[in-house]
Every structure is written in structure tokens, then in C-alpha cells.
């Protein structure tokens, strides 16, 4: 058997794992691996980012839309440390990643060698698994195990810390496959009879309500979800990350849950008699004040991760397992039902929200452009079929409220971590994960500047990202909280912005600025018709607020429809 270097073994192991795209940035401690990558350019498409944080976010965007495990590769020390935010983001949002970090040679570990950092120690709390590869003989096993853990069960990030001596040593290489780990059960099975019991609870319910999380997307369980809801006529609402689990225009889809969600599903959460949570973790932004959350209801929780059961909300019936399987097991036992009066009960709240908030947000007749109208027009112009990527802040809240979805795997946003700077690199990754789809990225002027250097990556790769810059000259979300809860003391939230058109020109990216409402439709058409990347800067009303809103710590059924 031909002896090869550990670096070459890493390349072959990645290929054996089915990797076709990886995002990264070279450096001293990972240089042997990059040298090996040079000979694999035809099979491993490496995207050179401009900052290591962007490598992780791009891998996240790739993973979210493709259903595959995202991969990034960086050097030791500062290179590895720059990935920490993205790794934590992937952990809390259940995104499958394998992050490969260079490391000093094993003989130098613990000596404070140049660019040495304890990557394993730092990343242990924010990964599903991490491992330091000190011997080239362990590469095939470690890579196979990493991909198995990252992509199975509840997905998440894995870090491989790759010492330099392991990269250069010569070994006999044989690929390995890992599909079982004794201490790891990624596919728990529901207890006997639990699915029948869940069906009985549904059949006995008069006012059932379903909460749909990202777990439905991760399990590709959208069809099972819709089939169950249609059979039993169960209205449902989604979390941030579950937005595209079912079509936005489905008659049973009541909108989005949470602090800036829709009024009707939040109010009706505290009126239902049965709450059915599927693939969601009862995040505080969804539940609000736990002491007043759904106390009148029995609760069923379909969940693959046992640690989430009874963590935040005590449930009456946990249904452990992959929700694609468990929902399918429940459907035959569920009786057809109507629940017409219950479903009609959502309408007054929907009408109230439309009249108080939505009509003005989508159909203004005068004044500056509003975020909601821009988002909805982009959505409609792309036939509600685009991948929506957001940064974090008001742009994110407005985008998730007013963008509409007709296809699964269409939402790429930073949910649990709320990472500003996520948008541009995540959108880059999404263009490689779904090359046949339009990718529309909404970003505020604050988040845009956090990873603005990735315009260089877009320029080099000609990534067809449609960037909608919602510029209001503020850190808008923080400003809104200062307006509502800090006596309008705008402490360091006004932004002095650069000339984005000149910046775009420097990167060779077409850019257009829209100020007047009558120019918006034509500008959106120009953006979508342009081959390759495009920046559409919209001059937004400076002190616009995102409503409705549940005040922090408030009850979900006490949403504010206006601020004074």
C-alpha cells in the first residue's frame, strides 16, 4: 500500500465523506493540508473567504439549504479563535458542521508555541464533539466519526484540531466508515404505545394547536406535518427557523410565534387545550413569561433530543424520536376532525393585527420606504421561491415577518445566537448549497459592515447573492429598545455610514440606491434580472419600529401593537 501524508489522508477522507465544497483561510499550522488540497481542486471546491468567522457562517448557509454537513478549514491560534462565534451559532441552531483547525506539532503542545491555543478546551462547551488529531493513523477514523456525529440525530458542529506533525507524517491509508458509537444514540425510538397515546390526546382535543420548529426542516418532515394537520384540522404556527417547514399560504398556517411574531398564534397559545410542539425547544423568545405560558393546555412534545424534554416547559407526553418517523406513526391513529369554530377564532386577531400594523407596513402612501414593503416586494418578485438569508436586527425581524415561502429549506438566519455579521457570509454559502435557487439576503447597515470584507469573496467567486441593504442609519433593533424601555436615550446607536455605492464599485459589484417609492419595483426587477451579485440599498425610515412585540419577560398573549 502506498504511503501518503496525513494531509493527503485528510483530503481523501473528506472526499470519502461526500464533501464537495469547503470554506477556509490558510495559515502556517494548516499549510501542509492546504498543499495537499492543491491536488484535489477538481473534486474539492475550496472557497477562500476573507475572515475565518465568515468561513463558518458560509458553511452554515451551505448546510442549511443543502441538507449536507458544512465544512470549513482554518489555521491555528487566531484562525481557530475566529471560528468560535460561528461554532456557537451552529450549536444552538442545530447546524451540522465539521471545522478543521490547524494546530502546532504534538511535541510543542502546552509550550505556548507560536499561534498555539487550546482549541479543544475552548470549543468543548459549544460542540457536539471535538477531537485533537495527534497521529496521522487516526485521521480516517476521526473524520468518519466527525461527520457521523455532526449530521446525525440533532445536528451540530464538530471540531477537529489537526496537529502539524499528523499532517506531515506518512501512513498507510484506508478510508473508514462510522455508523455506530456505543455511547451515542442519535435515533431514539419512542416508547411503545406513545404514538397511539398522542393520537388519543389529539382526538380528544377541541382546540389543538401545533408549534412547528426547525426540527421539522432538519428531518424533512414537512409532508408528514401537513398531512397530520390537514387530517385533524390542527392550526399551526412556526418558529423563526421553522418558517419554511410548510408553505406560508397554507390555510392552517397561522403565522409565526414569538416576541415579534404574529398576534393570533401568540394569543391562541394561551387559549388552546392541547399544545403540540414539534422539533422546537421552547426558547424564551417563543414562550415569554414561563409562569403564564400555556397553563391551560396539555402539551405533547415531539423531539429527537432528550435533553430538551421538560427543560423549559413541563410536558404531559414526550414523543422521543425523529419527527419524520413519529409524526408518520401518529397519523394512522388520528381521526378526521373539523375544529371550525376554533380555527375561526384566530381570525379576529389576524384582522386586528392587519388593521393596526400590517396594512401600514405593506401599503404606505407617503413618507420614506419601510422595511416591510421592501421585503414583501422582493418576496413577490421572486415568486416566494427564493432562499431568504438575513443578518440580525430589525432587518431580520421584518424579513421573517413579511417574506413568504413555498419551498422547504428556504430560511437561513441566526436564531439562538443572534449573530450580527451572519448575513453576507451565510448567503455566500447558500449560493453554493443551492446553486439553482435565487438567494436574497436582507441586512441592516450595522451588520453589513461587520463582514463587509466578504464582498471580496463575492467578487472573486461571482456568487449570485442579491443583497438588500436596509439602511436606516441606526443600529435599529437596539434603538427600538432604547426608545421603548430606556426613555429614548439613543446611546451609541446612530450610525455614520460610508458610501456603499463606491464600496460596491471597488469590488465590481452592481449597486443601486432607492430613495423614492416609485422606483422600488423597477429596482427590484433589475436586481433579480442581473446575473451574479447585486446590492440594492434602500433608504429606510430612520425610526421605524418592528411590531407587534411582546415586551421582554411579558406574557405571549399581551403583545404590543403600537408604541407611544
Amino acid at each position: 500500500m502506498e504511503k501518503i501524508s496525513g494531509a493527503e489522508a485528510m483530503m481523501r477522507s473528506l472526499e470519502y465523506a461526500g464533501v464537495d465544497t469547503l470554506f477556509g483561510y490558510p495559515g502556517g499550522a494548516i499549510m501542509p493540508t492546504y498543499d495537499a488540497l492543491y491536488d484535489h481542486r477538481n473534486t474539492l471546491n475550496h472557497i477562500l473567504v476573507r475572515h475565518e468567522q465568515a468561513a463558518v457562517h458560509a458553511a452554515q448557509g451551505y448546510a442549511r439549504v443543502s441538507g449536507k454537513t458544512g465544512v470549513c478549514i482554518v489555521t491555528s491560534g487566531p484562525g481557530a479563535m475566529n471560528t468560535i462565534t460561528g461554532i456557537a451559532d451552529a450549536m444552538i441552531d442545530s447546524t451540522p458542521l465539521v471545522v478543521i483547525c490547524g494546530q502546532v506539532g504534538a511535541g510543542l503542545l502546552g509550550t505556548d508555541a507560536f499561534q498555539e491555543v487550546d482549541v479543544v478546551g475552548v470549543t468543548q462547551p459549544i460542540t457536539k464533539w471535538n477531537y485533537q488529531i495527534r497521529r496521522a493513523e487516526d485521521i480516517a477514523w476521526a473524520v468518519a466519526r466527525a461527520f457521523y456525529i455532526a449530521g446525525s440525530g440533532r445536528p451540530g458542529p464538530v471540531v477537529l484540531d489537526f496537529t502539524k506533525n499528523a499532517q506531515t507524517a506518512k501512513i498507510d491509508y484506508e478510508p473508514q466508515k462510522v455508523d455506530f458509537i456505543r455511547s451515542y444514540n442519535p435515533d431514539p425510538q419512542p416508547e411503545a404505545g406513545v404514538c397511539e397515546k398522542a393520537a388519543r390526546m389529539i382526538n380528544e382535543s377541541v382546540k389543538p394547536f401545533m408549534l412547528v420548529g426547525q426540527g421539522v426542516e432538519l428531518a424533512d418532515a414537512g409532508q408528514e406535518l401537513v398531512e397530520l394537520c390537514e387530517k385533524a384540522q390542527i392550526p399551526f404556527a412556526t418558529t423563526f427557523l421553522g418558517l419554511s417547514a410548510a408553505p406560508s399560504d397554507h390555510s392552517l398556517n397561522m403565522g409565526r410565534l414569538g416576541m415579534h411574531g404574529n398576534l393570533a398564534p401568540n394569543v391562541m397559545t394561551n387559549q388552546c387545550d392541547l399544545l403540540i410542539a414539534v422539533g422546537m425547544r421552547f426558547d424564551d423568545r417563543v414562550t415569554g413569561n414561563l409562569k403564564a405560558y400555556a397553563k391551560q393546555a396539555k402539551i405533547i412534545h415531539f423531539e429527537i433530543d432528550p435533553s430538551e424534554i421538560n427543560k423549559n416547559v413541563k410536558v404531559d407526553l414526550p414523543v422521543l424520536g425523529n419527527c419524520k418517523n413519529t409524526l408518520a406513526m401518529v397519523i394512522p391513529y388520528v381521526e378526521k376532525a373539523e375544529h371550525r369554530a376554533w380555527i375561526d377564532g384566530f381570525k379576529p386577531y389576524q384582522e386586528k393585527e392587519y388593521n393596526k400594523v400590517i396594512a401600514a407596513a405593506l401599503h404606505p402612501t407617503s413618507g420614506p420606504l419601510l422595511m416591510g414593503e421592501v421585503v414583501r416586494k422582493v418576496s413577490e418578485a421572486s415568486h416566494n421561491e427564493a432562499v431568504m438569508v438575513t443578518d440580525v436586527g430589525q432587518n431580520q425581524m421584518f424579513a421573517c415577518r413579511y417574506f413568504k415561502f413555498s419551498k422547504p429549506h428556504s430560511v437561513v438566519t441566526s436564531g439562538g445566537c443572534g449573530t450580527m455579521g451572519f448575513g453576507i457570509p451565510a448567503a455566500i454559502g447558500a449560493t453554493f448549497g443551492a446553486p439553482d435557487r435565487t438567494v436574497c439576503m436582507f441586512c441592516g447597515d450595522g451588520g453589513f459592515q461587520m463582514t463587509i470584507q466578504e464582498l471580496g469573496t463575492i467578487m472573486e467567486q461571482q456568487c449570485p447573492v442579491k443583497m438588500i441593504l436596509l439602511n436606516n442609519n441606526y443600529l435599529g433593533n437596539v434603538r427600538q429598545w432604547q426608545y421603548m424601555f430606556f426613555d429614548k436615550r439613543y446611546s451609541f446607536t446612530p450610525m455614520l455610514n460610508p458610501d456603499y455605492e463606491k464600496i460596491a464599485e471597488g469590488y465590481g459589484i452592481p449597486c443601486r440606491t432607492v430613495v423614492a417609492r416609485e422606483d422600488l419595483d423597477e429596482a427590484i426587477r433589475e436586481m433579480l434580472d442581473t446575473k451574479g451579485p447585486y446590492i440594492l440599498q434602500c433608504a429606510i425610515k430612520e425610526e421605524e419600529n418592528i411590531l407587534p412585540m411582546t415586551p421582554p419577560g411579558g406574557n405571549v398573549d399581551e403583545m404590543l401593537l403600537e408604541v407611544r
Side-chain angles (χ1 to χ4, degrees):
M1 188 178 296
E2 175 195 6
K3 287 188 179 293
I4 61 174
S5 70
E8 174 65 21
M10 174 61 75
M11 296 299 103
R12 296 188 189 185
S13 295
L14 292 175
E15 291 173 344
Y16 188 73
V19 175
D20 53 27
T21 304
L22 56 159
F23 306 87
Y25 202 94
I30 198 67
M31 204 173 295
T33 297
Y34 266 87
D35 184 66
L37 178 59
Y38 190 83
D39 295 325
H40 291 259
R41 289 168 295 167
N42 293 331
T43 52
L44 293 172
N45 183 26
H46 177 273
I47 310 304
L48 176 66
V49 296
R50 298 321 191 242
H51 190 282
E52 291 89 355
Q53 180 179 345
V56 189
H57 292 329
Q60 287 177 273
Y62 173 91
R64 292 273 191 91
V65 299
S66 69
K68 300 178 181 179
T69 297
V71 182
C72 63
I73 181 168
V74 300
T75 193
S76 65
M81 291 301 97
N82 284 340
T83 68
I84 299 301
T85 297
I87 293 169
D89 194 292
M91 185 66 176
I92 199 166
D93 281 353
S94 304
T95 304
L97 296 182
V98 172
V99 180
I100 301 164
C101 303
Q103 183 57 280
V104 301
L108 292 174
L109 290 171
T111 68
D112 292 332
F114 178 66
Q115 291 193 331
E116 181 198 359
V117 171
D118 181 5
V119 173
V120 171
V122 170
T123 61
Q124 190 169 19
I126 54 171
T127 52
K128 281 188 75 176
W129 182 62
N130 64 10
Y131 183 76
Q132 188 172 74
I133 305 175
R134 299 187 181 187
R135 304 186 320 137
E137 290 83 359
D138 297 332
I139 292 169
W141 167 85
V143 172
R145 185 180 174 103
F147 277 89
Y148 176 59
I149 292 174
S152 59
R154 179 181 180 178
V158 169
V159 167
L160 295 177
D161 195 35
F162 197 15
T163 62
K164 200 165 186 179
N165 63 287
Q167 298 175 51
T168 58
K170 299 290 186 178
I171 56 165
D172 295 325
Y173 171 75
E174 185 173 345
Q176 291 193 28
K177 182 176 179 62
V178 172
D179 55 15
F180 172 77
I181 299 172
R182 186 174 59 183
S183 59
Y184 174 58
N185 181 20
D187 189 22
Q189 299 302 304
E191 294 181 8
V194 72
C195 291
E196 293 93 326
K197 186 174 181 181
R200 284 197 301 271
M201 293 175 68
I202 293 171
N203 293 337
E204 293 168 0
S205 171
V206 177
K207 298 186 290 185
F209 186 35
M210 185 174 286
L211 313 183
V212 179
Q214 188 191 198
V216 175
E217 288 267 61
L218 294 172
D220 286 321
Q223 181 177 339
E224 289 77 9
L225 170 87
V226 170
E227 183 178 347
L228 173 58
C229 288
E230 289 180 344
K231 184 176 182 181
Q233 285 296 288
I234 303 171
F236 64 88
T238 70
T239 65
F240 248 164
L241 298 181
L243 272 169
S244 63
S248 299
D249 61 359
H250 194 284
S251 61
L252 294 171
N253 190 340
M254 299 301 161
R256 188 168 64 80
L257 302 160
M259 176 178 281
H260 287 295
N262 294 105
L263 177 64
N266 280 296
V267 170
M268 300 304 258
T269 295
N270 279 3
Q271 294 186 21
C272 66
D273 62 9
L274 178 65
L275 199 64
I276 308 161
V278 186
M280 53 88 71
R281 57 190 177 87
F282 289 109
D283 173 72
D284 63 291
R285 288 296 175 98
V286 166
T287 65
N289 178 17
L290 282 170
K291 293 180 180 179
Y293 182 77
K295 293 303 179 183
Q296 79 293 340
K298 293 182 178 178
I299 301 177
I300 302 172
H301 194 178
F302 289 82
E303 177 58 49
I304 198 170
D305 183 354
S307 71
E308 292 294 347
I309 302 293
N310 294 320
K311 185 178 81 173
N312 296 326
V313 174
K314 183 173 176 56
V315 304
D316 297 276
L317 182 68
V319 183
L320 197 60
N322 183 310
C323 64
K324 186 175 182 67
N325 300 329
T326 53
L327 289 173
M329 293 167 69
V330 169
I331 290 171
Y333 299 102
V334 169
E335 299 169 357
K336 290 186 178 181
E338 287 296 330
H339 303 306
R340 178 47 51 197
W342 165 239
I343 294 171
D344 286 345
F346 285 77
K347 292 180 181 178
Y349 299 105
Q350 292 172 328
E351 292 171 359
K352 184 177 182 180
E353 181 182 354
Y354 183 85
N355 293 331
K356 283 273 191 179
V357 178
I358 297 175
L362 294 184
H363 308 293
T365 56
S366 62
L369 290 171
L370 302 179
M371 289 194 192
E373 68 173 315
V374 174
V375 169
R376 180 59 62 86
K377 284 181 177 291
V378 171
S379 180
E380 290 173 348
S382 59
H383 309 291
N384 302 329
E385 294 181 347
V387 172
M388 179 202 75
V389 184
T390 81
D391 204 80
V392 167
Q394 283 186 323
N395 67 89
Q396 177 187 37
M397 304 302 162
F398 276 103
C400 289
R401 273 185 62 80
Y402 293 113
F403 207 86
K404 298 300 179 183
F405 306 96
S406 59
K407 295 181 177 181
H409 304 292
S410 295
V411 176
V412 183
T413 190
S414 174
C417 221
T419 304
M420 287 183 68
F422 177 87
I424 296 177
I428 291 171
T431 64
F432 288 97
D436 57 336
R437 299 186 63 186
T438 300
V439 176
C440 295
M441 191 280 296
F442 296 91
C443 196
D445 39 307
F448 197 83
Q449 292 184 73
M450 282 197 171
T451 46
I452 196 170
Q453 76 282 344
E454 296 311 315
L455 294 178
T457 306
I458 291 173
M459 172 187 67
E460 182 173 341
Q461 299 293 332
Q462 282 300 293
C463 306
V465 181
K466 311 307 179 186
M467 293 167 274
I468 301 94
L469 173 55
L470 302 170
N471 189 349
N472 59 7
N473 298 306
Y474 273 102
L475 297 175
N477 216 37
V478 183
R479 182 212 55 78
Q480 178 171 336
W481 282 51
Q482 289 171 337
Y483 178 92
M484 295 176 69
F485 309 120
F486 291 88
D487 198 29
K488 302 180 183 179
R489 291 160 57 88
Y490 293 167
S491 180
F492 299 100
T493 46
M495 296 277 289
L496 179 62
N497 280 301
D499 186 330
Y500 290 109
E501 289 191 1
K502 289 183 178 179
I503 291 172
E505 182 181 1
Y507 284 104
I509 298 173
C511 179
R512 178 171 176 177
T513 299
V514 176
V515 178
R517 181 164 287 109
E518 56 267 24
D519 297 331
L520 182 58
D521 289 339
E522 195 274 326
I524 291 172
R525 284 195 298 272
E526 179 181 302
M527 174 184 71
L528 294 176
D529 289 343
T530 298
K531 185 178 180 180
Y534 193 101
I535 298 173
L536 176 61
Q537 179 180 209
C538 298
I540 300 297
K541 179 181 178 181
E542 289 196 345
E543 295 188 56
E544 184 181 8
N545 294 317
I546 174 71
L547 293 166
M549 179 180 184
T550 301
N555 299 344
V556 292
D557 55 356
E558 297 177 348
M559 299 191 82
L560 302 175
L561 294 176
E562 57 186 354
V563 294
R564 294 180 177 86

